[in-house]
């Protein structure tokens, strides 16, 4: 992994200073420094051996047909109770509080941006912190209904199956979340893309709506947008954003 050059940081700092409508678009790599594995890094979930790839287990079909097995994987690999926001989450929250950043569009489902204090967080893939009964709709906030139970969690009112309010593979994204994400991205003067392999669609397609001045990519590995970006920093996003002054 190359070192993060002072020159690159300075370029990023200058762009941040110049911009007044920054939007951040991120993914699982934003939370790896908090201890949550991503899917596609070397030590990510794809590199670990399961009977099925994560994409299969975290799909609508798998959830409906093998709910118990889904929950086994989900509790083991996707639910993290003790995690805390890292320097990236915190800096983005600071930038929003200072009025410079207007929205975070995230593929993450861990709630760490909100835990850091960010307000306008568009969760394209939902959140593990929200759950609901598929039968009566009763909502269960927080992780307790998942971590405090075993097997398939059931509704205390009607006995229906509870599911997380996350978008599984094969499922559609929420319309109003998509609309707000696209609106922010199309108004942005700076788009920072970070910690995402940009291979999950339709989420990754939303960055095409960007028409602003500064496109910045901060990622450990190469992405399809590196060529189009005016700032590309290969490195850990917490380390990079941690050096930015608001
Ligand atoms: P991904 O696993 O496909 O890609 C992660 C990218 O982040 C990789 O390119 C990797 O090189 C980079 N990366 C890892 N650590 C980094 C760091 N510290 N700094 C900078 N870059 C880093 O993730 P994705 O693109 O978000 O797609 C995976 C899907 O799985 C998403 O749809 C997401 O919903 C879900 N997911 C979410 C979480 C979470 O909520 N924390 C975790 C795993 C997967």
């Amino acid at each position: 992994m190359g070192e993060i050059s002072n020159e690159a940081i300075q370029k990023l700092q200058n762009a941040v200073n110049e911009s007044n409508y920054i939007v951040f678009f991120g993914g699982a790599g934003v939370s790896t420094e908090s201890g949550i594995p991503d899917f596609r890094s070397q030590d990510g979930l794809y590199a670990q051996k399961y009977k099925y790839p994560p994409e299969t287990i975290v799909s609508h079909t798998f959830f409906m047909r093998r709910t118990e097995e889904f929950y086994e994987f989900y509790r083991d690999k996707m639910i993290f109770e003790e995690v805390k926001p890292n320097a990236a989450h915190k800096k983005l929250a600071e930038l929003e509080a200072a009025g410079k950043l207007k929205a975070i569009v995230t593929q993450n489902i861990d709630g760490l941006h909100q835990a850091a204090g960010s307000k306008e967080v568009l969760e394209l893939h939902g959140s593990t912190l929200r759950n609901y009964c598929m039968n009566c709709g009763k909502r269960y906030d927080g992780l307790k209904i998942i971590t405090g139970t075993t097997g398939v969690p059931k509704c205390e009112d009607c006995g229906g199956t509870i599911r997380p309010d996350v978008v599984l593979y094969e499922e559609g994204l929420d319309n109003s979340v998509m609309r707000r994400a696209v609106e922010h991205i199309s108004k942005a003067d700076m788009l920072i893309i970070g910690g995402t392999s940009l291979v999950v669609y339709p989420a990754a397609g939303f960055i095409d709506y960007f028409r602003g001045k500064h496109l910045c990519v901060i990622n450990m590995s190469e992405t399809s947008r590196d060529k189009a970006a005016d700032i590309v920093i290969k490195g850990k996003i917490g380390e990079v954003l941690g050096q930015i002054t608001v």
Side-chain angles (χ1 to χ4, degrees), residues 14-116:
N14 292 344
V16 166
N17 294 348
E18 256 184 39
S19 306
N20 296 304
Y21 205 117
I22 303 172
V23 171
F24 180 79
F25 181 92
V30 175
S31 294
T32 53
E33 287 163 87
S34 293
I36 303 179
D38 62 10
F39 276 5
R40 291 174 187 84
S41 284
Q42 262 173 331
D43 49 357
L45 291 184
Y46 277 114
Q48 304 174 22
K49 290 283 167 263
Y50 291 102
K51 236 160 81 187
Y52 312 93
E55 237 165 56
T56 304
I57 305 177
V58 191
S59 73
H60 180 81
T61 308
F62 197 93
F63 178 84
M64 298 308 280
R65 293 204 187 135
R66 316 175 83 133
T67 318
E68 197 156 345
E69 232 176 306
F70 167 90
Y71 270 114
E72 218 173 280
F73 177 87
Y74 184 73
R75 283 196 182 90
D76 193 27
K77 297 293 170 192
M78 299 189 70
I79 294 295
F80 298 86
E81 275 188 292
E82 303 294 324
V83 290
K84 293 194 174 63
N86 63 49
H89 300 105
K90 288 179 191 162
K91 189 66 65 168
L92 292 168
E94 271 180 52
L95 283 165
E96 183 183 28
K100 290 192 83 67
L101 182 139
K102 303 299 183 198
I104 290 171
V105 179
T106 184
Q107 301 163 84
N108 290 351
I109 54 178
D110 55 32
L112 285 179
H113 285 296
Q114 290 91 332

Side-chain angles (χ1 to χ4, degrees), residues 113-229:
H113 285 296
Q114 290 91 332
S118 288
K119 301 282 180 261
E120 183 71 350
V121 183
L122 299 166
E123 298 173 306
L124 296 175
H125 296 159
S127 174
T128 55
L129 301 177
R130 296 187 300 265
N131 304 278
Y132 63 91
C133 170
M134 291 170 78
N135 184 46
C136 74
K138 184 182 166 86
R139 304 201 66 95
Y140 293 84
D141 284 340
L143 292 176
K144 212 171 142 254
I145 191 68
I146 308 294
T147 56
T149 56
T150 53
V152 178
K154 296 288 182 187
C155 181
E156 58 191 24
D157 284 0
C158 74
T161 294
I162 289 169
R163 68 160 282 175
D165 190 4
V166 301
V167 179
L168 301 173
Y169 286 96
E170 305 161 354
E171 292 178 341
L173 276 54
D174 181 272
N175 273 325
S176 82
V177 173
M178 280 200 285
R179 205 182 48 242
R180 277 160 66 200
V182 165
E183 203 177 302
H184 279 300
I185 292 171
S186 56
K187 282 189 194 161
D189 53 11
M190 177 173 189
L191 181 66
I192 306 176
I193 298 170
T196 171
S197 60
L198 295 177
V199 300
V200 178
Y201 278 80
F206 291 172
I207 56 188
D208 290 336
Y209 288 91
F210 178 63
R211 296 279 175 270
K213 189 167 177 206
H214 296 293
L215 179 63
C216 170
V217 178
I218 307 167
N219 209 58
M220 299 259 276
S221 54
E222 238 170 77
T223 78
S224 56
R225 300 301 164 130
D226 291 6
K227 281 203 181 75

